[in-house]
Amino acid sequence: QVQLVESGGGSVQAGGSLKLSCAASGYTYTDYCMGWFRQAPGKEREGVAAISPGGSSTYYAASLKGRFTISRDNAKNTLYLQMNSLKPEDTAMYYCAAASCGYGWHNWDAGAYNYWGQGTQVTVSS
């Protein structure tokens, strides 16, 4: 069955870095666009970054661009999110998701995403 398994979350001080990974299985990874989302307690889920199947196109939430980098290794069926200069407001559960590249995927329209991981917690302390 389809599985998306995130890892790499943890606790870090403000200004630090983390690299999240998302291991995909059970579907043809290279056919799908991928995205990272996050949800903080009491807040709505928001899109963070997205990437096309070949990795040539990437998209970022405007408030995050320059600090976060999305990438994928199609040989390893793995998605990454490098997060630098972390801030306390980056504290959230981070989710990866796979989309069939239909309308809305690069705008993080949740309805465009077919598969979701269980999430990994990122906590940034000041």
Side-chain angles (χ1 to χ4, degrees):
Q1 75 275 21
V2 173
Q3 280 194 311
L4 294 174
V5 181
E6 301 96 335
S7 62
S11 297
V12 64
Q13 289 193 326
S17 298
L18 284 173
K19 186 173 184 177
L20 306 184
S21 299
C22 170
S25 62
Y27 70 103
T28 307
Y29 178 71
T30 52
D31 285 349
Y32 281 74
C33 298
M34 298 295 294
W36 285 101
F37 293 76
R38 68 184 184 183
Q39 187 166 20
K43 295 188 177 181
E44 291 188 355
R45 180 173 54 197
E46 63 175 342
V48 172
I51 190 167
S52 60
S56 60
S57 297
T58 57
Y59 303 87
Y60 297 92
S63 62
L64 300 174
K65 194 171 183 179
R67 295 193 298 122
F68 289 14
T69 303
I70 189 172
S71 62
R72 62 191 295 165
D73 185 336
N74 284 349
K76 296 182 178 180
N77 285 8
T78 302
L79 177 73
Y80 302 101
L81 184 68
Q82 177 68 48
M83 306 186 295
N84 298 327
S85 302
L86 283 163
K87 304 175 181 181
E89 52 264 42
D90 294 318
T91 295
M93 186 72 79
Y94 284 71
Y95 301 90
C96 65
S100 56
C101 304
Y103 178 80
W105 73 271
H106 60 82
N107 291 320
W108 303 284
D109 181 347
Y113 285 80
N114 307 90
Y115 309 122
W116 293 82
Q118 293 300 306
T120 186
Q121 178 68 38
V122 171
T123 302
V124 184
S125 58
S126 57

